Amino acid sequence: MLRKPNELMMYLIDPKQVEFAQFNGFPQVAKVLDDMTKANVLLESLIIEMEKRYTKLKEGKVKNLWDYNNKFSDAKIPFIVVVVDEYADLKMVNPTVDEYLARLGQKARASGIHVIVATQRPSVDIIEGTTKANLPSKISFKLDSTGDYKTIFDGKPPVVPTGQGHGTMRLNGQVKSFEQFQGSIITMNAEEEELIFENIKKSFKGEKVEGIKIEKVNEETKEE
């Protein structure tokens, strides 16, 4: 809502196929991916885009995308946010995503590419050490056990979330170790929700920017 399409580009990976469907049509959303067999293709394309951006940063003699856009205001590059929902399900279908997410988490931030990963199962077999280390900011709502909090935060937070939108977070670079927050709970029927999303889409008046090129890793060849 606060960023124009030429400032922000989003890729939403949706294993359930229904969580992000309403965001189709937003000009900032380049793609909603609900075919999990192709998730590694999308993530690999983002890695290629990351490398291209670092080449531009090097040529522009700057260290990050913020500085690049300030220095070259007539040729700004949009930030990219890739959101992965239900990471446990995605990983079961496509185990190779671990490697791609780890690389993006480790290296992509300065190039303006950011990763958000969500899962209902924060167990050690899902959130492995490398993945966890490369995603430095952690946010949690109410969990089932102390062990789940330890998996996320490496220890029990000073205030355990109580549910109903109450959560705790530890953000990279913040002075305080933990911050509490209260999320809003909005209840509406499907028709009301659809109307709200459609009205938001109309407010952008058809603005759209082209996303990065996504290619299949192994293109099929055709013989005549």
Side-chain angles (χ1 to χ4, degrees):
M1 290 296 293
L2 301 178
R3 293 287 178 260
K4 294 180 180 179
N6 63 349
E7 297 174 317
L8 173 65
M9 191 184 302
M10 300 188 74
Y11 293 86
L12 310 179
I13 298 178
D14 186 7
K16 284 185 178 178
Q17 304 182 38
V18 294
E19 295 293 342
F20 293 146
Q22 65 265 45
F23 293 104
N24 268 315
F26 276 79
Q28 296 91 340
V29 177
K31 188 172 185 62
V32 177
L33 181 68
D34 56 17
D35 184 349
M36 294 306 96
T37 62
K38 298 179 180 179
N40 60 333
V41 180
L42 170 60
L43 295 174
E44 185 176 36
S45 298
L46 289 170
I47 290 172
I48 294 171
E49 172 68 13
M50 173 186 74
E51 298 295 351
K52 290 178 180 178
R53 290 182 173 208
Y54 274 118
T55 299
K56 288 187 177 182
L57 297 184
K58 179 182 177 181
E59 292 171 350
K61 298 180 180 180
V62 294
K63 293 183 178 180
N64 56 61
L65 193 65
W66 286 105
D67 292 341
Y68 184 91
N69 286 342
N70 287 331
K71 187 175 182 179
F72 303 98
S73 57
D74 58 339
K76 288 185 177 181
I77 300 173
F79 284 81
I80 291 176
V81 175
V82 54
V83 183
V84 182
D85 192 31
E86 295 294 348
Y87 180 57
D89 291 341
L90 171 60
K91 191 173 176 180
M92 283 191 291
V93 176
N94 200 334
T96 59
V97 297
D98 244 350
E99 177 185 344
Y100 297 115
L101 282 175
R103 189 160 180 212
L104 286 171
Q106 184 178 28
K107 189 179 175 184
R109 282 187 291 276
S111 70
I113 300 176
H114 300 268
V115 179
I116 300 172
V117 178
T119 181
Q120 293 186 49
R121 292 174 51 201
S123 54
V124 291
D125 60 321
I126 299 300
I127 308 296
E128 297 181 1
T130 304
T131 304
K132 185 169 127 179
N134 290 321
L135 299 173
S137 294
K138 318 297 200 290
I139 301 174
S140 175
F141 293 97
K142 185 179 180 181
L143 300 174
D144 292 335
S145 68
T146 301
D148 289 339
Y149 291 112
K150 288 181 178 179
T151 301
I152 298 174
F153 298 117
D154 295 321
K156 187 177 179 180
V159 178
V160 175
T162 58
Q164 298 296 313
H166 178 229
T168 186
M169 58 186 175
R170 188 173 69 192
L171 304 182
N172 189 39
Q174 296 297 307
V175 176
K176 293 180 68 175
S177 297
F178 288 91
E179 291 278 2
Q180 296 183 68
F181 65 91
Q182 178 64 51
S184 58
I185 299 175
I186 302 174
T187 303
M188 65 183 77
N189 61 44
E191 292 182 358
E192 290 174 324
E193 183 177 353
E194 184 179 358
L195 179 62
I196 289 171
F197 275 90
E198 289 304 316
N199 286 335
I200 294 173
K201 292 172 191 177
K202 289 177 184 178
S203 71
F204 290 104
K205 299 178 181 179
E207 296 178 72
K208 187 71 177 176
V209 293
E210 187 176 350
I212 64 170
K213 187 175 182 181
I214 300 174
E215 299 180 352
K216 292 183 179 179
V217 178
N218 296 313
E219 290 284 356
E220 293 182 1
T221 56
K222 182 178 178 182
E223 295 183 3
E224 296 183 357

